[in-house]
Amino acid sequence: STDATAASSSVGVGGSSGSGLATWLGAVATDMYQVLVLAFGENLPNPYEEDYGPAEGLFSVTIALAGLAGFALALALVEQVVLETNMANVKRGSRVYESGHYLVLGWAVSQRDLEVLIKLVGQLCGGAAAGGGATIVVLTQREKLEIEELFRRSMPPSARAGSRLVFRQGSPLLPSDLSNVAASQARATIIISDQSRSRDEADAQSLRCAILLDELDDYKGLRKGRALGHIVVETHTANAVPLLRFSCSKRVIAMPTVQFNASRVARMVKKPFISWLSQRLMAFDSRCVLYIQAAPKLVGQPFRYLPFYYPDAIILG
């Protein structure tokens, strides 16, 4: 009898604990449901109404949670699209709204290309220092953040002589990328040859880029006689110079760097001081800089009249 009494008491305790847990879970479910009612308004049925049932409440909660999950998923997709667009703008750069700027087009694939690009941008900053600086836009195939970090280390803002550098990622052979850097509004454009390719392939790329610059605005500027910035193209082969002359407009100027460097080295063999002299004359950070400027008013004038036009200059000729 004692064992039976203990067994019955244990069963009674277990039953009371099970009914208490069920009551607690029911209270929690009711409270959560009331919270959902307050959150979603009057769309959910009231649990205190007479026709309210657990199945009806469960269905309403399921529909509400599904709508909430769908809204969260749509919000996540919109956020992902916005983030991808922002990252693309950060990596490539947005459209440039400039006019009268200097434009440098290059591929910057090899280390030699980067060295030439850094030296060229440095000389452009030095040349524009007298006027308080200028806007220099650089278009390369490297990522915008990478090229910005490279110039931040090699040419800090304090060494840019008041010039502002703008970097964009793209190909000089794509009209959309050329329009992205406002190539038709540039004061002057410089095309740096691709040092990672052979001389013929590099000149073919530079020639194609020069032709695209002429075709960029559908020849509107050339047909209307609008003043357009000149284009300097770095070439390596002798055939590239006549091709540029016959394929492009007169504003395209070929710069045969190989021939120029060969003549300079040949002169340095006999007169080594030519190297120091040419560097001082060509570098804008020097006190004795060589400037070349056209003077149409002097055409046909005798040499003896030139000192009257330039009284403060030393006339050589």
Side-chain angles (χ1 to χ4, degrees):
S1 62
T2 305
D3 295 339
T5 304
S8 62
S9 62
S10 63
V11 171
V13 171
S16 62
S17 62
S19 60
L21 180 61
T23 304
W24 181 80
L25 291 177
V28 170
T30 304
D31 294 340
M32 292 179 61
Y33 187 80
Q34 291 178 355
V35 170
L36 291 176
V37 170
L38 293 176
F40 293 99
E42 299 179 356
N43 294 328
L44 297 179
N46 192 348
Y48 299 103
E49 294 180 354
E50 295 181 357
D51 56 349
Y52 172 78
E56 183 180 4
L58 180 61
F59 177 77
S60 301
V61 170
T62 303
I63 295 298
L65 293 179
L68 184 62
F71 176 76
L73 179 61
L75 185 62
L77 293 177
V78 172
E79 181 184 6
Q80 184 67 23
V81 172
V82 172
L83 289 177
E84 290 180 357
T85 304
N86 291 336
M87 287 302 297
N89 290 334
V90 170
K91 290 182 178 180
R92 296 180 57 87
S94 60
R95 184 180 180 87
V96 175
Y97 296 95
E98 291 283 346
S99 61
H101 57 284
Y102 293 103
L103 177 60
V104 180
L105 303 177
W107 284 262
V109 177
S110 62
Q111 186 64 28
R112 175 59 179 168
D113 292 340
L114 293 177
E115 294 177 0
V116 174
L117 179 61
I118 293 174
K119 292 180 180 179
L120 176 60
V121 173
Q123 291 299 317
L124 289 176
C125 292
T135 301
I136 303 173
V137 181
V138 180
L139 176 67
T140 62
Q141 289 185 342
R142 291 181 178 264
E143 289 187 359
K144 175 178 175 289
L145 298 178
E146 178 185 358
I147 202 72
E148 283 181 348
E149 181 63 25
L150 175 63
F151 272 84
R152 189 177 295 110
R153 295 195 308 264
S154 59
M155 188 184 300
S158 59
R160 298 174 184 179
S163 295
R164 185 169 64 96
L165 304 184
V166 180
F167 301 98
R168 293 293 183 268
Q169 182 188 14
S171 174
L173 300 179
L174 293 179
S176 59
D177 292 340
L178 294 177
S179 300
N180 194 37
V181 294
S184 59
Q185 304 296 328
R187 178 192 307 179
T189 304
I190 303 175
I191 302 175
I192 302 177
S193 179
D194 189 1
Q195 303 290 338
S196 63
R197 296 181 177 271
S198 63
R199 295 190 302 172
D200 294 333
E201 292 179 352
D203 285 348
Q205 283 186 340
S206 301
L207 176 62
R208 178 57 181 164
C209 181
I211 295 175
L212 286 176
L213 289 175
D214 276 345
E215 298 176 349
L216 190 59
D217 57 351
D218 197 18
Y219 297 100
K220 292 181 180 178
L222 298 177
R223 291 199 304 264
K224 296 181 179 180
R226 189 181 64 189
L228 298 175
H230 59 276
I231 304 170
V232 180
V233 183
E234 180 186 7
T235 60
H236 296 288
T237 60
N239 297 329
V241 177
L243 285 176
L244 284 171
R245 184 179 306 168
F246 293 113
S247 302
C248 304
S249 60
K250 294 182 179 180
R251 66 177 182 141
V252 179
I253 304 172
M255 180 62 186
T257 55
V258 175
Q259 181 180 356
F260 177 77
N261 292 331
S263 302
R264 183 166 171 263
V265 171
R267 292 181 179 273
M268 287 171 53
V269 173
K270 295 183 178 181
K271 299 177 181 180
F273 73 92
I274 293 294
S275 174
W276 177 85
L277 181 62
S278 61
Q279 289 179 2
R280 303 306 296 174
L281 291 178
M282 296 298 179
F284 283 102
D285 56 353
S286 175
R287 294 185 178 180
C288 51
V289 184
L290 179 62
Y291 290 92
I292 301 176
Q293 184 177 1
K297 63 181 180 180
L298 301 181
V299 177
Q301 297 293 333
F303 182 78
R304 63 180 180 271
Y305 291 165
L306 298 185
F308 296 101
Y309 287 95
Y310 301 97
D312 299 330
I314 299 175
I315 308 299
L316 300 177

